[in-house]
């Protein structure tokens, strides 16, 4: 072992910029993650995300308070002790299933924004087998590494789990924390002594041990690097969950937690004061309250007496889309939604009607609401944070030929006002907890009769056309994904909201 240490210290590794990627389709690669495939050498933000989303606000605060201690221990005592302490604070007592779901739904978006382009270029060049080696728990990294980076194997630290399905916060004793020589040993176990990696990529001294065994090895310099465009990854990040909009480094996390009570009080004023104000005045109140509303296009006028209203068909960004649209129009409108809490329905400044998902019943309700005035509908059936449009339900196209497409975009700098597994009743408050929430609403031209079902177009053709028009206006990509796809990925459910009758039956069981 002593001889190995001497050889590791003496071996010189070339910078990754000198690696030639051509002709490596039959080769294998082992690469470190933090500071190598990822630009940031710190994994703290990802622990913070799991502490908050899989744990609680208290756990996240505890991790933040421990950050200075962890930094000092890592710098002057032991990297291994610091990582083990961070693992314990983050994971102890959490259900394994909860952690697995948050890893899939929250982390990929933040990992995807931190991929180092130069290391990715070399990692992808090896076509036979790609392996990610990391000191982070395997459970944190495996999903992103395999689905988005194309890793065939992720070697990470294994965590202890009790018989009840809860993580203890301790590292499994047989393999230990993968730092230094343990990384080397893990690589040998996976590849075998006779077939060690052709390429090794690392970013720090802890990686030298496994890099020294590879036929070629390259170091990633600790210099500023441009992140890989997310579109270059193997899969696009379309769906993600979690409340934080920014990567929670210690400094960002501190600012976020300091802003939290201020933002909550501000959101109460923004929500409840605007409830009592007419829509034509609320727009001026938005300016006073720091809410930016940009209105483009030609908003339709109010329906004439005795005529039915127009159907305002929009993409869905937050729960407040119909409310903000009413403010943009300067008058009351109604809206239909697939799910709304009793409390949200109670405090809504506009009439909100929940759809039952029974086609005939929903169609009758929509026609009735159109007779009363203009109606807002979001045919995606759920929100999407990224620049993509989900498939539009064609029901709206069957009910009227007065269709006005509306393109909506939002900017939420600190918090996301949507959630899948969180408390949906808090969604409007999180939107307005942002220091300067921004809404951009573009009213497009009403569809000519020849593009509606009245002139022989099928409902699906009309729905697809409206989706393309809105997507073209926003620069968003249209997809065939649905609410069911979103909830299957982020929550492991079909996203179906039980009807009132089903709720009663469940309670009576």
């Amino acid at each position: 072992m002593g001889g190995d240490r001497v050889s590791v210290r003496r071996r010189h590794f070339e910078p990754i910029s000198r690696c030639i990627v051509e002709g490596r389709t039959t080769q294998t690669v082992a690469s470190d993650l933090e500071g190598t495939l990822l630009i940031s050498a710190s994994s703290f933000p990802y622990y913070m995300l799991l502490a908050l989303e899989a744990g609680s606000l208290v756990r996240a605060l505890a991790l933040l308070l421990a950050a200075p201690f962890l930094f000092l221990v890592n710098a002057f005592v032991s990297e291994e002790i610091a990582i083990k302490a961070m693992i314990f604070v983050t994971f102890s007592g959490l259900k394994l299933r909860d952690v697995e779901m948050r890893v899939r739904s929250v982390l990929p978006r933040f990992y995807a924004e931190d991929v180092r382009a130069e290391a990715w270029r070399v990692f992808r060049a090896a076509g036979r087998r790609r392996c990610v080696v990391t000191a982070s728990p395997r459970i944190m990294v495996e999903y992103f590494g395999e689905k988005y980076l194309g890793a065939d194997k992720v070697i990470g630290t294994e965590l202890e789990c009790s018989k009840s399905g809860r993580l203890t916060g301790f590292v499994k004793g047989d393999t230990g924390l993968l730092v230094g020589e343990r990384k080397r040993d893990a690589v040998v176990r996976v590849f075998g002594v006779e077939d060690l990696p052709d390429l090794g990529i690392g970013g720090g001294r802890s990686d030298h041990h496994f890099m020294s065994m590879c036929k070629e090895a390259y170091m990633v310099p600790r210099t500023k690097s441009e992140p890989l465009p997310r579109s270059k990854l193997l899969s696009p990040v379309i769906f993600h969950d979690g409340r934080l909009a920014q990567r929670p480094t210690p400094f960002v996390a501190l600012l976020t937690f300091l802003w939290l009570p201020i933002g909550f009080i501000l959101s109460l004023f923004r929500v409840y004061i605007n409830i009592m104000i007419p829509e034509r005045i609320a727009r001026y109140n938005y300016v006073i309250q720091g809410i930016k509303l940009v209105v483009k296009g030609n908003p339709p006028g109010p329906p004439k007496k005795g005529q039915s209203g127009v159907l305002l068909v929009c993409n869905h960004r937050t729960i407040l889309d119909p409310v903000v649209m009413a403010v943009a129009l300067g008058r009351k409108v109604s809206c239909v939604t697939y799910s709304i809490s009793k409390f949200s329905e109670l405090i809504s400044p506009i009439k909100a009607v929940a759809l039952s998902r029974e086609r005939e019943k929903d169609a009758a309700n929509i026609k009735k609401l159109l007779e009363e005035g203009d109606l807002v509908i979001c045919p995606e059936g759920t929100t999407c944070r990224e620049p993509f449009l989900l498939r539009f339900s064609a029901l709206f196209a069957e009910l009227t030929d007065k269709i006005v497409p509306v393109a909506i975009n939002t900017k939420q700098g600190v918090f996301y006002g949507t959630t899948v597994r969180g408390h949906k009743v808090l969604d409007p408050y999180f939107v307005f907890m942002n220091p300067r929430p921004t809404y951009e609403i573009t009213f497009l031209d009403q569809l000519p009769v020849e593009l509606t079902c009245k002139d022989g177009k099928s409902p699906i053709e009309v729905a697809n056309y409206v989706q393309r028009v809105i997507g073209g206006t926003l620069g968003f990509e249209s997809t065939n994904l649905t609410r069911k796809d979103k909830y299957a990925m982020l929550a492991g459910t079909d996203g179906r909201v039980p009807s009132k009758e089903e709720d009663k039956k469940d309670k009576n069981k």
Side-chain angles (χ1 to χ4, degrees), residues 285-338:
N285 200 45
Y286 274 19
V287 176
I288 297 171
Q289 294 178 337
I291 303 169
K292 185 178 180 181
L293 175 59
V294 180
V295 181
K296 299 179 179 179
N298 300 309
K304 296 179 181 179
K305 191 174 181 180
Q307 294 184 352
S308 62
V310 298
L311 189 61
L312 300 159
V313 181
C314 64
N315 61 304
H316 205 2
R317 301 297 276 181
T318 77
I319 191 175
L320 295 175
D321 293 346
V323 175
V324 178
M325 196 182 302
V327 174
L329 289 168
R331 65 177 186 273
K332 293 284 185 187
V333 294
S334 301
C335 74
V336 289
T337 177
Y338 283 104

Side-chain angles (χ1 to χ4, degrees), residues 259 265-277 281-292 432 434-437:
W259 172 256
I265 294 171
L266 180 60
S267 73
L268 293 178
F269 280 102
R270 286 171 167 173
V271 170
Y272 290 104
I273 289 178
N274 288 318
I275 289 175
M276 301 178 287
I277 297 176
I281 300 175
R283 186 167 178 179
Y284 301 103
N285 200 45
Y286 274 19
V287 176
I288 297 171
Q289 294 178 337
I291 303 169
K292 185 178 180 181
F432 283 151
N434 288 290
R436 187 155 174 77

Side-chain angles (χ1 to χ4, degrees), residues 71-140:
F71 174 80
L72 292 174
V73 170
N74 182 65
F76 301 107
V77 182
S78 165
E79 177 190 19
E80 183 172 349
I81 294 175
I83 296 176
K84 282 184 174 179
M86 190 155 54
I87 288 173
F88 183 81
V89 175
T90 302
F91 293 100
S92 60
L94 294 183
K95 291 181 180 179
L96 177 61
R97 174 63 175 167
D98 288 343
V99 173
E100 289 174 338
M101 291 308 302
R102 295 322 191 277
V103 164
R104 292 169 59 94
S105 63
V106 178
L107 296 190
R109 177 241 160 174
F110 293 95
Y111 277 136
E113 293 178 345
D114 196 34
V115 176
R116 187 187 299 269
E118 201 167 30
W120 161 260
R121 175 181 63 89
V122 177
F123 184 75
R124 288 292 299 157
R128 184 157 67 92
R129 194 178 190 191
R130 307 183 193 96
C131 182
V132 172
V133 191
T134 176
S136 294
R138 176 185 55 80
I139 190 177
M140 280 179 63

Side-chain angles (χ1 to χ4, degrees), residues 186-477:
V187 171
V188 172
R189 282 195 300 271
V190 170
F191 283 87
V193 178
E194 302 299 325
D195 192 25
L196 293 173
D198 297 295
L199 275 171
I201 313 172
R205 290 185 61 84
S206 179
D207 303 325
H208 289 186
H209 294 276
F210 86 83
M211 292 172 65
S212 65
M213 303 181 308
C214 301
K215 297 169 186 175
E216 294 179 67
Y218 297 90
M219 284 293 293
V220 173
R222 295 295 173 90
T223 56
K224 190 175 181 181
S225 176
E226 289 297 318
L228 181 79
R230 282 168 48 176
S231 60
K232 299 289 185 180
L233 294 173
L234 295 187
S235 300
V237 180
I238 299 176
F239 300 127
H240 55 87
D241 203 11
R243 291 296 190 181
L244 297 184
Q246 296 185 42
R247 188 167 170 271
T249 61
F251 181 67
V252 170
L254 176 62
L255 292 180
T256 301
F257 286 128
L258 290 175
W259 172 256
L260 195 62
I262 301 170
F264 182 68
I265 294 171
L266 180 60
S267 73
L268 293 178
F269 280 102
R270 286 171 167 173
V271 170
Y272 290 104
I273 289 178
N274 288 318
I275 289 175
M276 301 178 287
I277 297 176
E279 283 72 16
R280 64 180 181 278
I281 300 175
R283 186 167 178 179
Y284 301 103
N285 200 45
Y286 274 19
V287 176
I288 297 171
Q289 294 178 337
I291 303 169
K292 185 178 180 181
L293 175 59
V294 180
V295 181
K296 299 179 179 179
N298 300 309
K304 296 179 181 179
K305 191 174 181 180
Q307 294 184 352
S308 62
V310 298
L311 189 61
L312 300 159
V313 181
C314 64
N315 61 304
H316 205 2
R317 301 297 276 181
T318 77
I319 191 175
L320 295 175
D321 293 346
V323 175
V324 178
M325 196 182 302
V327 174
L329 289 168
R331 65 177 186 273
K332 293 284 185 187
V333 294
S334 301
C335 74
V336 289
T337 177
Y338 283 104
S339 62
I340 185 171
S341 67
K342 290 285 186 183
F343 183 71
S344 296
E345 188 175 354
L346 182 66
I347 67 171
S348 176
I350 64 174
K351 186 175 182 179
V353 177
L355 295 174
S356 65
R357 296 189 184 273
E358 297 175 16
R359 194 173 186 83
E360 292 182 3
K361 186 177 179 180
D362 289 340
N365 283 335
I366 291 173
K367 286 181 178 179
K368 183 179 178 181
L369 290 169
L370 282 171
E371 291 173 1
E372 298 173 2
D374 294 340
L375 177 65
V376 178
I377 188 169
C378 305
E380 289 175 291
T382 187
T383 56
C384 185
R385 298 173 175 179
E386 295 299 315
F388 295 90
L389 296 181
L390 308 189
R391 189 176 71 197
F392 278 29
S393 168
L395 176 62
F396 73 88
E398 303 173 13
L399 307 177
T400 181
D401 60 317
K402 293 180 173 181
I403 299 172
V404 175
V406 183
I408 297 179
N409 206 357
T410 61
K411 292 180 182 177
Q412 301 169 77
V414 180
F415 301 108
Y416 282 117
T418 60
T419 184
V420 169
R421 295 178 64 90
H423 300 289
K424 291 182 179 292
V425 70
L426 298 177
D427 285 358
Y429 303 96
F430 272 103
V431 174
F432 283 151
M433 281 170 64
N434 288 290
R436 187 155 174 77
T438 300
Y439 257 92
E440 185 176 292
I441 298 182
T442 304
F443 292 94
L444 305 175
D445 294 333
Q446 181 174 322
L447 262 61
V449 176
E450 57 267 22
L451 292 179
T452 67
C453 293
K454 188 176 182 179
D455 198 52
K457 295 290 184 182
S458 72
I460 294 177
E461 287 178 317
V462 176
N464 289 343
Y465 175 79
V466 173
Q467 184 196 42
R468 287 197 303 272
V469 168
I470 293 176
T473 301
L474 295 171
F476 288 6
E477 182 179 337

